[in-house]
Amino acid sequence: LDLLKEFNINLGTLLSFLHQASSEYHHVPYHNWIHAIDVLQYVCYQIKKSNFESILNSNELLSLCVGAICHDAGHEGLNNGFHQKAETPLGILYKDLSVCEMHHCAVAISVIQNEESNIFHAISKDEQKKIWKLIFQLILATDMAHHFKLLKNANDIMDQGPINLSNTNHRLMALTMIIKIADISNVSRPFEIADKWCDVLCEEFWRQGDMERENGWEISSPLNDRSVREKAKGQVGFYQFVCLPLYNAIARVLPELQCNAEAVNNNLQIWKEKVAQLEELKKAQDAQK
């Protein structure tokens, strides 16, 4: 995206920034540095595939990249509900807010305020304010608690008439959807890769469930219970109610991305087949009993 030249970022500063950002990620199964780079790659893929980069300005492109890299910085593999219920320091500090996402924003600030990794050093204070504001909006948009509200807002905007990407609200809506889709982009990868990402996410959920059980709490979700092995069934619901509506919405804004919605649907059919196979197997086992 030619951002190094645009913002006078030398290689040493870039590498320091990447090193500092990566060191803030924990060694948890899913929300780790690999996930951050996976999201960054998918953000760039989407804006290249749709030629959205020709519409966005340099500040927006930089915000998207930094937002993607830092969007889960400091994630401990525990969700917002856990932090609030356990009253961890983060849960106390950001009570009733997007706990993890607020923390990721704070970590991003600490990384870039470091002189050695300050990739914003050549940007004026006024422009930095705009960039930081957008980075925060993008990171906070990844809180799944806001998913259906953001999706409804996007569809409402599109239902009112043609999209105008020079309109500030329309533009922000498209930017937030770009990073939200990148955050769950595993579902549109080739199935073997999507399946592997699902496995590591399940492991992270189970780890939280183990901690909930150790604290004597009721497990917050069936997804967090190691004894409930319904991966395929859970994926069918996730794809149908969360993923496909979001992928279909971005395709209304950027039609070139329709191919990704089709990829999600193809994976969904495979998950449905797996559910059907498991049900047939269970019927056969019950019949033998």
Side-chain angles (χ1 to χ4, degrees), residues 106-120 132:
V107 173
I109 294 170
S110 69
V111 169
I112 294 177
Q113 281 193 334
N114 185 313
E115 186 176 347
E116 292 182 355
S117 53
N118 183 6
I119 56 174
F120 294 171
W132 276 120

Side-chain angles (χ1 to χ4, degrees), residues 53-115:
E53 63 173 313
S54 65
I55 298 171
L56 299 175
N57 61 47
S58 297
N59 283 3
E60 291 164 332
L61 291 169
L62 182 65
S63 299
L64 270 173
C65 290
V66 173
I69 290 169
C70 297
H71 84 282
D72 274 330
H75 203 297
E76 298 176 0
L78 303 166
N79 65 20
N80 292 342
F82 183 94
H83 282 290
Q84 290 163 335
K85 188 171 183 179
E87 295 188 322
T88 65
L90 290 179
I92 296 169
L93 179 61
Y94 298 120
K95 186 178 180 181
D96 300 326
L97 298 171
S98 299
V99 177
C100 292
E101 291 74 22
M102 291 291 287
H103 180 52
H104 307 326
C105 290
V107 173
I109 294 170
S110 69
V111 169
I112 294 177
Q113 281 193 334
N114 185 313
E115 186 176 347

Side-chain angles (χ1 to χ4, degrees), residues 20 24 29 33-34 38 46 49 51 85 140-141 146 159 174 178 190 192 196-197 199 212 248 255-256 258 274:
Q20 292 295 326
E24 294 291 347
W33 180 240
I34 297 172
D38 191 58
Q46 288 180 97
K49 179 76 175 175
N51 199 33
K85 188 171 183 179
L140 291 172
H146 303 316
D159 289 343
I178 286 285
E192 318 80 65
K196 288 180 181 178
W197 276 112
D199 285 340
E212 290 170 337
N248 286 329
E256 298 87 350
Q258 180 60 39
K274 289 184 176 293

Side-chain angles (χ1 to χ4, degrees), residues 7 22 37 66 88 101 122 124 153 156 164 218-219 232 238 261:
F7 293 102
S22 66
I37 297 305
V66 173
T88 65
E101 291 74 22
S124 71
N153 174 63
D156 286 348
N164 175 11
E218 184 177 342
I219 292 182
F238 181 57

Side-chain angles (χ1 to χ4, degrees), residues 205-218:
F205 286 160
W206 292 337
R207 285 187 180 193
Q208 177 171 318
D210 294 344
M211 293 177 69
E212 290 170 337
R213 186 176 278 117
E214 287 169 9
N215 283 319
W217 305 339
E218 184 177 342

